[in-house]
Amino acid sequence: MAEQMTGAEMVVQALIDQGVEHMFGYPGGAVLPIYDAIFQQDKVRHVLVRHEQGATHMAEGYARSTGKCGVVLVTSGPGATNAVTGLTDALLDSIPLVCISGQVATPLIGSDAFQECDTVGITRNCTKHNYLVKSIEDLPRILHEAFYIATSGRPGPVVIDIPKDVQFALGTYHKPQARPSHPTYKPQIEGDLEAIKVAVDLMLRAERPVFYTGGGVINSGAEASRTLRELAELTGFPVTSTLMGLGAYPASGSQWLGMLGMHGTYEANMAMHDCDLMICLGARFDDRITGRIDAFSPDSRKIHVDIDPSSINKNIMVDIPIVGDVNQVMEEMIRIWRAKTNQPRTEAIAPWWKEIEKWRRVNSLGFTNSDTIIKPQHAIQRLYEATKGRDVYITTEVGQHQMWAAQHFHFDQPNRWMTSGGLGTMGYGLPAAIGVQVAHPDALVIDIAGEASVQMTMQEMSTALQYELPVKIFILNNEYMGMVRQWQELLHGGRYSHSYSDALPDFVKLAEAYGGHGIRCSDPAKLDSAIDEMINIRKPVIFDCRVSKEENCFPMIPSGKPHNEMILPDTADIGSIIDERGKVLV
Amino acid sequence: MNANLLPTGSVYFMPSQTEAEERRTLTVLVDNEPGVLARVVGLFSARGFNIDSLTVSETEHDKHRSRITVVTVATPKVLSQIKLQLERLVPVHKVHDLTQEGSAIERELALVKVAGSGDSRVEALRLADAFRAQVIDATTESFVFEITGKSSKVEQFVALMVPLGLVEVVRTGLAAITRGPEGM
Ligand SMILES: Cc1cc2nc3c(=O)[nH]c(=O)nc-3n(C[C@H](O)[C@H](O)[C@H](O)COP(=O)(O)OP(=O)(O)OC[C@H]3O[C@@H](n4cnc5c(N)ncnc54)[C@H](O)[C@@H]3O)c2cc1C
Ligand SMILES: Cc1ncc(C[n+]2csc(CCOP(=O)(O)OP(=O)(O)O)c2C)c(N)n1
Ligand SMILES: [Mg+2]
């Protein structure tokens, strides 16, 4: 179906045809025609942000919590450069985004025109792909192609830079193809059957197996989490996950070991270190996971399922690489396993589980609680208890609070946990929470924040108020850039160079200034009722939770150390383990 | 697929630091859309890969397809990343490792300016003849030679010209193609 319209109208029509319901943006000279087209329709709702970085993180939160593509609209020059952090964040965390930017008119490109910047040049290395649309004839194809590329294969951000004259030009629009394809971009969905058979053979013979799952399981869609649960039950194998994959396998499941990696549990990291078969499903052997490469899981064979061939053998050489969509591959694994047996390997791996039980008893997430001061871990635990059973979504900023949230808040479903893992972007959490709330207006959406991080994008409180999005900002206020302080304590002789959060605003008054609700709590006895107050207010809330200032986040694998040399909290029960393991504590 | 029969291929048993670097000629088939060269070159710089030589031109005009020939030096592990990362770029059709795929023919063209008089001038001409270099410009005190061949031959010729009054050299970078009837 071909139709004549302007470039700006095509943009909006393509969004509608791609099923977009919400977009996040900020106007400016170079996108005014598109804003005019938005004004004249009511199918796509536009959320006006306060800073373009906020728009990108909102779109990320929206995308991660729905499985859909996030959409961003920014103007040329500063609008585009402000979006760069969020685009990079989405690239590293494999989040599908389409970001439309305005550009100066084509005859002016390269003349240092007002608000001109080389957007495609600047974003080339922080997007999965990008386009400069030079002619109206190319626009409909590029618009649809961008959505296809952003959402298929390994998802990621795509930028479409549209000069203003192209937005005004008249052209012929066409609808998206029912089954999109591309001449050069062809993600591989189906895993090699022979390789999957070999993988299942190894699984059927394993004595110390572990599933190492990651963000790819979330990327693969809700179905993949169901398939993972089935595969876990069928095999009886223990399951751990990266920060990005939390919720794919339920934290309440009996085979759950907790998160692995630098701040993962003792049992998860020991299982990774001592296993004889590692089944990596949609994770990318990030350095927060592997620690010292040459000491990483030395005695295991490794199966790696990933949709991106370049993820395989990048950091860690594996034995059985399988390129394909993790859901499809897991379904094949289940089918092949079932064809051989209907039994989990319960008996064969019983000694392995016994060992894992021993590691679990170390209680590596333990901490010394207090009656007089709120411990940050305790605050997360209380938050978790208070919100249990509700329709809850958690986002985070970056730092210790992020790790404590990952450790002490438990997720039983996918798409409930939004965090900046790969780039570690402070300021991600509040806008991400707003994006989540836009997609799920009735849900309880909480940004677990640090007092330093949240100030990076605090102005989005105003967006929350404007659109009546009752997000909760739960600040673990330790008056430090805690994660930085912790590293300075461990590595730089406790010289806390510029990591103190000085001149903090009064967060309660700040909330009120924005028209939200402020709560402060420093008394453990009053914490529960303060949390209830926060949950029950249908308004954006800033909760200034005053916690102990110099708490460290444990357990921790110091950088450059192998998994079996974790630093455990001083409360860990290492009585029976320490003899066998020698120097567990370093 | 017999990895399960071999000792595990894990990196810990491969001291990657001491792995020797290899020189490879890669052919990257791309759609000749704006910015595609910047994407390829940007990938090399962003990921810390080396480029020793780079040759680009549209080779199939009707299909807007270009061929980029890259010579790179890296360890086998990094080489495999280079190929996979290149293939991940949206406008890239395929990456061929000509060095690995068998005996490819490699040629380079150079223009070499030499100035001098007397014996060295005669000697330059004599050597050019031996290397089958053409004289494409001449004045009473200078020559410009055009030489085609393997990079090593070009190198050698240029080195010989240094004492004879080499002024400047321009090289095209490598063009490479597989032997036999098959195309890419
Ligand atoms: C302060 C801080 C501390 C951190 N500490 C830890 C820690 O202790 N533990 C931890 O785990 N992380 C930690 N991280 C996060 C870490 O940096 C990485 O972001 C994270 O480990 C990567 O997760 P992932 O391997 O699941 O990969 P992701 O980044 O989620 O990548 C997904 C992988 O799956 C693949 N994929 C995508 N879609 C599919 C599909 N459909 N089918 C198959 N494969 C697919 C992709 O190609 C990619 O390889 C920390 C981050 C910060 C900021
Ligand atoms: C934009 C950005 N700048 C700097 C950093 C480095 N960094 C990581 S954690 C951190 C401190 C975070 O402090 P806070 O938000 O108070 O969290 P806490 O660790 O105290 O819980 C810093 C500065 C970062 N991750 N992102
Ligand atoms: Mg802090």
Side-chain angles (χ1 to χ4, degrees), chain A residues 124 129-130 154 184 198 293-294 296-298 300-302 308-310 314 317 319, chain B residues 1 3-4 6 8-13 38-39 77 81 84-85 88 90-93:
Chain A
R124 193 172 287 128
H129 195 50
N130 64 11
R154 178 178 185 169
T184 49
V198 174
I293 294 272
D294 63 353
F296 175 72
S297 193
S300 62
R301 294 191 188 280
K302 299 174 186 70
D308 178 356
S310 76
K314 180 166 66 179
M317 297 297 277
D319 303 275
Chain B
M1 180 53 71
N4 57 330
L6 300 167
T8 98
S10 299
V11 73
Y12 336 110
F13 307 110
R39 267 181 227 290
K77 198 177 156 210
Q81 268 295 302
L84 292 168
Q85 294 292 348
R88 208 155 82 117
V90 169
V92 170
H93 282 266

mmCIF file of all heavy atoms in Angstrom, chain A residues 124 129-130 154 184 198 293-294 296-298 300-302 308-310 314 317 319, chain B residues 1 3-4 6 8-13 38-39 77 81 84-85 88 90-93:
data_model
loop_
_atom_site.group_PDB
_atom_site.id
_atom_site.type_symbol
_atom_site.label_atom_id
_atom_site.label_comp_id
_atom_site.label_asym_id
_atom_site.label_seq_id
_atom_site.Cartn_x
_atom_site.Cartn_y
_atom_site.Cartn_z
ATOM 1 N N ARG A 124 28.537 5.883 15.523
ATOM 2 C CA ARG A 124 28.837 4.661 14.763
ATOM 3 C C ARG A 124 29.290 3.518 15.664
ATOM 4 O O ARG A 124 28.854 2.377 15.525
ATOM 5 C CB ARG A 124 29.905 4.952 13.707
ATOM 6 C CG ARG A 124 30.053 3.851 12.685
ATOM 7 C CD ARG A 124 30.973 4.270 11.547
ATOM 8 N NE ARG A 124 30.336 5.237 10.680
ATOM 9 C CZ ARG A 124 30.872 6.406 10.325
ATOM 10 N NH1 ARG A 124 32.060 6.748 10.765
ATOM 11 N NH2 ARG A 124 30.227 7.227 9.541
ATOM 12 N N HIS A 129 23.704 -0.284 14.522
ATOM 13 C CA HIS A 129 23.781 0.237 13.161
ATOM 14 C C HIS A 129 23.237 1.664 13.173
ATOM 15 O O HIS A 129 22.476 2.015 14.079
ATOM 16 C CB HIS A 129 22.956 -0.635 12.212
ATOM 17 C CG HIS A 129 23.267 -0.390 10.763
ATOM 18 N ND1 HIS A 129 24.547 -0.384 10.270
ATOM 19 C CD2 HIS A 129 22.469 -0.139 9.691
ATOM 20 C CE1 HIS A 129 24.521 -0.148 8.967
ATOM 21 N NE2 HIS A 129 23.260 0.017 8.597
ATOM 22 N N ASN A 130 23.625 2.470 12.184
ATOM 23 C CA ASN A 130 23.023 3.798 12.102
ATOM 24 C C ASN A 130 22.905 4.251 10.657
ATOM 25 O O ASN A 130 23.518 3.682 9.756
ATOM 26 C CB ASN A 130 23.767 4.813 12.977
ATOM 27 C CG ASN A 130 25.191 5.050 12.525
ATOM 28 O OD1 ASN A 130 25.598 4.630 11.443
ATOM 29 N ND2 ASN A 130 25.965 5.725 13.349
ATOM 30 N N ARG A 154 21.043 -10.324 18.013
ATOM 31 C CA ARG A 154 21.409 -9.736 19.299
ATOM 32 C C ARG A 154 20.881 -8.307 19.292
ATOM 33 O O ARG A 154 21.354 -7.476 18.506
ATOM 34 C CB ARG A 154 22.921 -9.719 19.466
ATOM 35 C CG ARG A 154 23.354 -9.085 20.766
ATOM 36 C CD ARG A 154 24.857 -9.140 20.910
ATOM 37 N NE ARG A 154 25.279 -8.653 22.205
ATOM 38 C CZ ARG A 154 26.512 -8.788 22.679
ATOM 39 N NH1 ARG A 154 27.423 -9.389 21.950
ATOM 40 N NH2 ARG A 154 26.830 -8.339 23.863
ATOM 41 N N THR A 184 22.198 -8.322 3.635
ATOM 42 C CA THR A 184 23.475 -8.714 4.248
ATOM 43 C C THR A 184 23.337 -9.104 5.715
ATOM 44 O O THR A 184 24.162 -9.835 6.243
ATOM 45 C CB THR A 184 24.501 -7.560 4.171
ATOM 46 O OG1 THR A 184 23.880 -6.370 4.634
ATOM 47 C CG2 THR A 184 24.989 -7.367 2.760
ATOM 48 N N VAL A 198 25.702 -33.246 20.633
ATOM 49 C CA VAL A 198 26.941 -33.460 21.394
ATOM 50 C C VAL A 198 26.799 -32.820 22.781
ATOM 51 O O VAL A 198 27.193 -33.402 23.795
ATOM 52 C CB VAL A 198 28.156 -32.862 20.653
ATOM 53 C CG1 VAL A 198 29.407 -32.961 21.524
ATOM 54 C CG2 VAL A 198 28.365 -33.575 19.330
ATOM 55 N N ILE A 293 41.346 -15.001 33.887
ATOM 56 C CA ILE A 293 40.998 -15.880 32.769
ATOM 57 C C ILE A 293 41.684 -17.245 32.871
ATOM 58 O O ILE A 293 41.073 -18.277 32.663
ATOM 59 C CB ILE A 293 41.388 -15.204 31.424
ATOM 60 C CG1 ILE A 293 40.545 -13.952 31.197
ATOM 61 C CG2 ILE A 293 41.315 -16.170 30.282
ATOM 62 C CD1 ILE A 293 39.248 -14.193 30.491
ATOM 63 N N ASP A 294 42.948 -17.244 33.231
ATOM 64 C CA ASP A 294 43.677 -18.519 33.189
ATOM 65 C C ASP A 294 43.373 -19.407 34.385
ATOM 66 O O ASP A 294 43.844 -20.528 34.469
ATOM 67 C CB ASP A 294 45.196 -18.281 33.052
ATOM 68 C CG ASP A 294 45.764 -17.546 34.261
ATOM 69 O OD1 ASP A 294 44.972 -17.122 35.118
ATOM 70 O OD2 ASP A 294 46.997 -17.404 34.336
ATOM 71 N N PHE A 296 40.013 -19.622 35.381
ATOM 72 C CA PHE A 296 38.558 -19.716 35.328
ATOM 73 C C PHE A 296 38.131 -21.145 35.013
ATOM 74 O O PHE A 296 38.460 -21.679 33.963
ATOM 75 C CB PHE A 296 38.020 -18.753 34.268
ATOM 76 C CG PHE A 296 36.534 -18.846 34.049
ATOM 77 C CD1 PHE A 296 35.649 -18.360 35.006
ATOM 78 C CD2 PHE A 296 36.018 -19.414 32.894
ATOM 79 C CE1 PHE A 296 34.277 -18.436 34.802
ATOM 80 C CE2 PHE A 296 34.640 -19.493 32.690
ATOM 81 C CZ PHE A 296 33.775 -19.000 33.651
ATOM 82 N N SER A 297 37.433 -21.745 35.960
ATOM 83 C CA SER A 297 36.861 -23.076 35.774
ATOM 84 C C SER A 297 37.785 -24.024 35.009
ATOM 85 O O SER A 297 37.482 -24.451 33.897
ATOM 86 C CB SER A 297 35.531 -22.944 35.022
ATOM 87 O OG SER A 297 34.834 -24.148 35.101
ATOM 88 N N PRO A 298 38.897 -24.369 35.638
ATOM 89 C CA PRO A 298 39.961 -25.043 34.885
ATOM 90 C C PRO A 298 39.629 -26.451 34.402
ATOM 91 O O PRO A 298 40.216 -26.906 33.428
ATOM 92 C CB PRO A 298 41.132 -25.067 35.867
ATOM 93 C CG PRO A 298 40.526 -24.853 37.211
ATOM 94 C CD PRO A 298 39.309 -24.030 37.006
ATOM 95 N N SER A 300 36.609 -27.815 33.448
ATOM 96 C CA SER A 300 35.304 -28.070 32.835
ATOM 97 C C SER A 300 35.370 -28.047 31.322
ATOM 98 O O SER A 300 36.206 -27.382 30.719
ATOM 99 C CB SER A 300 34.308 -27.009 33.292
ATOM 100 O OG SER A 300 34.717 -25.736 32.866
ATOM 101 N N ARG A 301 34.449 -28.794 30.748
ATOM 102 C CA ARG A 301 34.131 -28.582 29.341
ATOM 103 C C ARG A 301 33.048 -27.533 29.300
ATOM 104 O O ARG A 301 32.236 -27.438 30.217
ATOM 105 C CB ARG A 301 33.622 -29.875 28.718
ATOM 106 C CG ARG A 301 34.680 -30.917 28.675
ATOM 107 C CD ARG A 301 34.220 -32.078 27.821
ATOM 108 N NE ARG A 301 35.174 -33.157 27.948
ATOM 109 C CZ ARG A 301 36.321 -33.196 27.289
ATOM 110 N NH1 ARG A 301 36.652 -32.214 26.468
ATOM 111 N NH2 ARG A 301 37.146 -34.214 27.444
ATOM 112 N N LYS A 302 33.064 -26.778 28.224
ATOM 113 C CA LYS A 302 32.152 -25.634 28.174
ATOM 114 C C LYS A 302 31.305 -25.651 26.906
ATOM 115 O O LYS A 302 31.835 -25.782 25.806
ATOM 116 C CB LYS A 302 32.951 -24.333 28.274
ATOM 117 C CG LYS A 302 33.715 -24.253 29.595
ATOM 118 C CD LYS A 302 34.625 -23.059 29.698
ATOM 119 C CE LYS A 302 35.451 -23.146 30.972
ATOM 120 N NZ LYS A 302 36.483 -24.219 30.955
ATOM 121 N N ASP A 308 25.132 -14.369 18.938
ATOM 122 C CA ASP A 308 26.154 -13.536 18.297
ATOM 123 C C ASP A 308 27.452 -14.332 18.185
ATOM 124 O O ASP A 308 28.106 -14.597 19.192
ATOM 125 C CB ASP A 308 26.376 -12.272 19.143
ATOM 126 C CG ASP A 308 27.466 -11.379 18.581
ATOM 127 O OD1 ASP A 308 28.111 -11.768 17.584
ATOM 128 O OD2 ASP A 308 27.672 -10.293 19.146
ATOM 129 N N PRO A 309 27.840 -14.726 16.962
ATOM 130 C CA PRO A 309 29.050 -15.562 16.825
ATOM 131 C C PRO A 309 30.279 -14.911 17.450
ATOM 132 O O PRO A 309 31.169 -15.612 17.923
ATOM 133 C CB PRO A 309 29.227 -15.685 15.310
ATOM 134 C CG PRO A 309 27.911 -15.333 14.704
ATOM 135 C CD PRO A 309 27.220 -14.423 15.660
ATOM 136 N N SER A 310 30.313 -13.581 17.487
ATOM 137 C CA SER A 310 31.517 -12.926 18.011
ATOM 138 C C SER A 310 31.595 -12.983 19.537
ATOM 139 O O SER A 310 32.622 -12.653 20.113
ATOM 140 C CB SER A 310 31.605 -11.474 17.529
ATOM 141 O OG SER A 310 30.699 -10.657 18.230
ATOM 142 N N LYS A 314 35.460 -15.356 22.592
ATOM 143 C CA LYS A 314 36.029 -14.008 22.675
ATOM 144 C C LYS A 314 36.934 -13.900 23.892
ATOM 145 O O LYS A 314 38.083 -13.501 23.781
ATOM 146 C CB LYS A 314 34.914 -12.960 22.744
ATOM 147 C CG LYS A 314 35.462 -11.543 22.843
ATOM 148 C CD LYS A 314 34.388 -10.501 22.581
ATOM 149 C CE LYS A 314 33.332 -10.505 23.663
ATOM 150 N NZ LYS A 314 32.304 -9.486 23.419
ATOM 151 N N MET A 317 37.801 -19.727 25.680
ATOM 152 C CA MET A 317 37.639 -20.718 24.622
ATOM 153 C C MET A 317 36.689 -21.805 25.119
ATOM 154 O O MET A 317 36.806 -22.280 26.247
ATOM 155 C CB MET A 317 38.987 -21.346 24.268
ATOM 156 C CG MET A 317 39.993 -20.357 23.714
ATOM 157 S SD MET A 317 39.478 -19.602 22.161
ATOM 158 C CE MET A 317 39.979 -20.869 21.006
ATOM 159 N N ASP A 319 34.308 -25.526 24.321
ATOM 160 C CA ASP A 319 34.418 -26.792 23.605
ATOM 161 C C ASP A 319 33.309 -26.960 22.586
ATOM 162 O O ASP A 319 33.529 -27.458 21.494
ATOM 163 C CB ASP A 319 34.370 -27.947 24.609
ATOM 164 C CG ASP A 319 35.466 -27.819 25.641
ATOM 165 O OD1 ASP A 319 36.574 -28.274 25.355
ATOM 166 O OD2 ASP A 319 35.221 -27.227 26.713
ATOM 167 N N MET B 1 32.698 -32.325 14.644
ATOM 168 C CA MET B 1 32.371 -31.955 16.035
ATOM 169 C C MET B 1 32.858 -33.048 16.969
ATOM 170 O O MET B 1 32.105 -33.930 17.353
ATOM 171 C CB MET B 1 30.853 -31.742 16.133
ATOM 172 C CG MET B 1 30.346 -31.362 17.505
ATOM 173 S SD MET B 1 31.163 -29.941 18.233
ATOM 174 C CE MET B 1 30.502 -28.646 17.196
ATOM 175 N N ALA B 3 34.915 -32.256 19.604
ATOM 176 C CA ALA B 3 35.564 -31.546 20.705
ATOM 177 C C ALA B 3 35.480 -32.344 21.992
ATOM 178 O O ALA B 3 36.345 -32.246 22.853
ATOM 179 C CB ALA B 3 34.932 -30.174 20.895
ATOM 180 N N ASN B 4 34.417 -33.171 22.118
ATOM 181 C CA ASN B 4 34.259 -33.920 23.357
ATOM 182 C C ASN B 4 35.299 -35.028 23.494
ATOM 183 O O ASN B 4 35.435 -35.628 24.541
ATOM 184 C CB ASN B 4 32.843 -34.482 23.465
ATOM 185 C CG ASN B 4 32.492 -35.350 22.274
ATOM 186 O OD1 ASN B 4 33.000 -35.125 21.179
ATOM 187 N ND2 ASN B 4 31.672 -36.348 22.488
ATOM 188 N N LEU B 6 38.530 -34.513 22.536
ATOM 189 C CA LEU B 6 39.831 -33.887 22.759
ATOM 190 C C LEU B 6 39.922 -33.361 24.186
ATOM 191 O O LEU B 6 38.917 -33.221 24.854
ATOM 192 C CB LEU B 6 39.990 -32.705 21.799
ATOM 193 C CG LEU B 6 39.920 -33.060 20.306
ATOM 194 C CD1 LEU B 6 39.757 -31.800 19.485
ATOM 195 C CD2 LEU B 6 41.168 -33.817 19.911
ATOM 196 N N THR B 8 39.994 -30.486 26.887
ATOM 197 C CA THR B 8 39.135 -29.307 26.753
ATOM 198 C C THR B 8 39.903 -28.186 26.072
ATOM 199 O O THR B 8 41.101 -28.005 26.273
ATOM 200 C CB THR B 8 38.587 -28.781 28.099
ATOM 201 O OG1 THR B 8 39.391 -27.704 28.511
ATOM 202 C CG2 THR B 8 38.495 -29.849 29.141
ATOM 203 N N GLY B 9 39.190 -27.464 25.247
ATOM 204 C CA GLY B 9 39.807 -26.393 24.478
ATOM 205 C C GLY B 9 39.901 -25.101 25.255
ATOM 206 O O GLY B 9 40.042 -24.040 24.694
ATOM 207 N N SER B 10 39.773 -25.195 26.552
ATOM 208 C CA SER B 10 39.745 -23.983 27.358
ATOM 209 C C SER B 10 41.053 -23.226 27.262
ATOM 210 O O SER B 10 42.119 -23.804 27.099
ATOM 211 C CB SER B 10 39.457 -24.337 28.811
ATOM 212 O OG SER B 10 38.214 -24.964 28.874
ATOM 213 N N VAL B 11 40.922 -21.931 27.403
ATOM 214 C CA VAL B 11 42.045 -21.059 27.137
ATOM 215 C C VAL B 11 43.194 -21.261 28.135
ATOM 216 O O VAL B 11 44.339 -20.988 27.845
ATOM 217 C CB VAL B 11 41.576 -19.590 27.120
ATOM 218 C CG1 VAL B 11 41.260 -19.105 28.514
ATOM 219 C CG2 VAL B 11 42.594 -18.704 26.470
ATOM 220 N N TYR B 12 42.829 -21.797 29.306
ATOM 221 C CA TYR B 12 43.857 -21.933 30.359
ATOM 222 C C TYR B 12 44.980 -22.847 29.946
ATOM 223 O O TYR B 12 46.062 -22.818 30.476
ATOM 224 C CB TYR B 12 43.241 -22.484 31.657
ATOM 225 C CG TYR B 12 41.798 -22.196 31.709
ATOM 226 C CD1 TYR B 12 40.875 -23.209 31.582
ATOM 227 C CD2 TYR B 12 41.363 -20.889 31.788
ATOM 228 C CE1 TYR B 12 39.541 -22.931 31.551
ATOM 229 C CE2 TYR B 12 40.020 -20.613 31.772
ATOM 230 C CZ TYR B 12 39.108 -21.634 31.655
ATOM 231 O OH TYR B 12 37.792 -21.362 31.604
ATOM 232 N N PHE B 13 44.675 -23.712 28.981
ATOM 233 C CA PHE B 13 45.720 -24.623 28.543
ATOM 234 C C PHE B 13 46.464 -24.058 27.352
ATOM 235 O O PHE B 13 47.329 -24.682 26.798
ATOM 236 C CB PHE B 13 45.118 -25.993 28.228
ATOM 237 C CG PHE B 13 44.323 -26.507 29.375
ATOM 238 C CD1 PHE B 13 42.942 -26.599 29.310
ATOM 239 C CD2 PHE B 13 44.952 -26.850 30.557
ATOM 240 C CE1 PHE B 13 42.217 -27.058 30.387
ATOM 241 C CE2 PHE B 13 44.228 -27.302 31.641
ATOM 242 C CZ PHE B 13 42.851 -27.403 31.556
ATOM 243 N N ALA B 38 34.222 3.750 6.810
ATOM 244 C CA ALA B 38 34.429 4.260 8.170
ATOM 245 C C ALA B 38 34.058 3.195 9.197
ATOM 246 O O ALA B 38 34.703 3.055 10.229
ATOM 247 C CB ALA B 38 33.594 5.513 8.389
ATOM 248 N N ARG B 39 33.004 2.440 8.916
ATOM 249 C CA ARG B 39 32.609 1.368 9.834
ATOM 250 C C ARG B 39 33.707 0.327 9.976
ATOM 251 O O ARG B 39 34.047 -0.102 11.085
ATOM 252 C CB ARG B 39 31.369 0.653 9.292
ATOM 253 C CG ARG B 39 30.087 1.197 9.808
ATOM 254 C CD ARG B 39 28.906 0.410 9.241
ATOM 255 N NE ARG B 39 27.906 1.338 8.775
ATOM 256 C CZ ARG B 39 27.169 2.095 9.568
ATOM 257 N NH1 ARG B 39 27.278 2.001 10.872
ATOM 258 N NH2 ARG B 39 26.301 2.950 9.077
ATOM 259 N N LYS B 77 43.663 -16.044 17.807
ATOM 260 C CA LYS B 77 42.455 -15.750 18.557
ATOM 261 C C LYS B 77 41.899 -14.382 18.147
ATOM 262 O O LYS B 77 40.701 -14.220 17.924
ATOM 263 C CB LYS B 77 42.784 -15.756 20.052
ATOM 264 C CG LYS B 77 41.565 -15.904 20.910
ATOM 265 C CD LYS B 77 41.910 -15.989 22.381
ATOM 266 C CE LYS B 77 40.695 -15.539 23.157
ATOM 267 N NZ LYS B 77 40.991 -14.914 24.406
ATOM 268 N N GLN B 81 38.393 -13.089 16.074
ATOM 269 C CA GLN B 81 37.544 -11.976 16.503
ATOM 270 C C GLN B 81 37.401 -10.935 15.387
ATOM 271 O O GLN B 81 36.319 -10.417 15.149
ATOM 272 C CB GLN B 81 38.123 -11.300 17.753
ATOM 273 C CG GLN B 81 37.578 -11.865 19.058
ATOM 274 C CD GLN B 81 36.083 -11.603 19.228
ATOM 275 O OE1 GLN B 81 35.608 -10.484 19.214
ATOM 276 N NE2 GLN B 81 35.316 -12.670 19.380
ATOM 277 N N LEU B 84 34.888 -12.236 12.922
ATOM 278 C CA LEU B 84 33.518 -12.272 13.455
ATOM 279 C C LEU B 84 32.967 -10.871 13.681
ATOM 280 O O LEU B 84 31.790 -10.603 13.436
ATOM 281 C CB LEU B 84 33.486 -13.079 14.759
ATOM 282 C CG LEU B 84 33.759 -14.578 14.582
ATOM 283 C CD1 LEU B 84 33.988 -15.244 15.924
ATOM 284 C CD2 LEU B 84 32.608 -15.248 13.848
ATOM 285 N N GLN B 85 33.811 -9.973 14.159
ATOM 286 C CA GLN B 85 33.357 -8.605 14.380
ATOM 287 C C GLN B 85 33.039 -7.931 13.051
ATOM 288 O O GLN B 85 32.066 -7.180 12.947
ATOM 289 C CB GLN B 85 34.401 -7.790 15.154
ATOM 290 C CG GLN B 85 34.638 -8.257 16.582
ATOM 291 C CD GLN B 85 33.443 -8.007 17.495
ATOM 292 O OE1 GLN B 85 32.515 -7.301 17.154
ATOM 293 N NE2 GLN B 85 33.469 -8.608 18.674
ATOM 294 N N ARG B 88 29.751 -8.990 11.747
ATOM 295 C CA ARG B 88 28.648 -8.462 12.533
ATOM 296 C C ARG B 88 28.166 -7.112 11.983
ATOM 297 O O ARG B 88 27.062 -6.691 12.260
ATOM 298 C CB ARG B 88 29.142 -8.276 13.966
ATOM 299 C CG ARG B 88 28.105 -8.388 15.020
ATOM 300 C CD ARG B 88 28.777 -8.793 16.296
ATOM 301 N NE ARG B 88 29.352 -7.637 16.954
ATOM 302 C CZ ARG B 88 28.973 -7.196 18.142
ATOM 303 N NH1 ARG B 88 28.024 -7.826 18.796
ATOM 304 N NH2 ARG B 88 29.526 -6.164 18.690
ATOM 305 N N VAL B 90 26.462 -4.535 9.764
ATOM 306 C CA VAL B 90 25.273 -4.777 8.947
ATOM 307 C C VAL B 90 25.572 -4.815 7.442
ATOM 308 O O VAL B 90 25.109 -5.709 6.748
ATOM 309 C CB VAL B 90 24.163 -3.771 9.321
ATOM 310 C CG1 VAL B 90 23.017 -3.818 8.328
ATOM 311 C CG2 VAL B 90 23.648 -4.077 10.727
ATOM 312 N N PRO B 91 26.339 -3.868 6.863
ATOM 313 C CA PRO B 91 26.522 -3.914 5.405
ATOM 314 C C PRO B 91 27.556 -4.922 4.918
ATOM 315 O O PRO B 91 27.838 -4.961 3.727
ATOM 316 C CB PRO B 91 26.961 -2.487 5.048
ATOM 317 C CG PRO B 91 27.301 -1.812 6.307
ATOM 318 C CD PRO B 91 26.925 -2.649 7.456
ATOM 319 N N VAL B 92 28.116 -5.742 5.786
ATOM 320 C CA VAL B 92 29.129 -6.716 5.360
ATOM 321 C C VAL B 92 28.466 -8.016 4.912
ATOM 322 O O VAL B 92 27.681 -8.608 5.645
ATOM 323 C CB VAL B 92 30.143 -6.990 6.496
ATOM 324 C CG1 VAL B 92 31.042 -8.176 6.151
ATOM 325 C CG2 VAL B 92 30.976 -5.749 6.771
ATOM 326 N N HIS B 93 28.767 -8.412 3.676
ATOM 327 C CA HIS B 93 28.239 -9.688 3.174
ATOM 328 C C HIS B 93 29.023 -10.857 3.749
ATOM 329 O O HIS B 93 28.469 -11.795 4.274
ATOM 330 C CB HIS B 93 28.375 -9.758 1.642
ATOM 331 C CG HIS B 93 27.351 -8.991 0.922
ATOM 332 N ND1 HIS B 93 26.188 -9.555 0.483
ATOM 333 C CD2 HIS B 93 27.298 -7.685 0.578
ATOM 334 C CE1 HIS B 93 25.456 -8.625 -0.132
ATOM 335 N NE2 HIS B 93 26.111 -7.482 -0.075
#
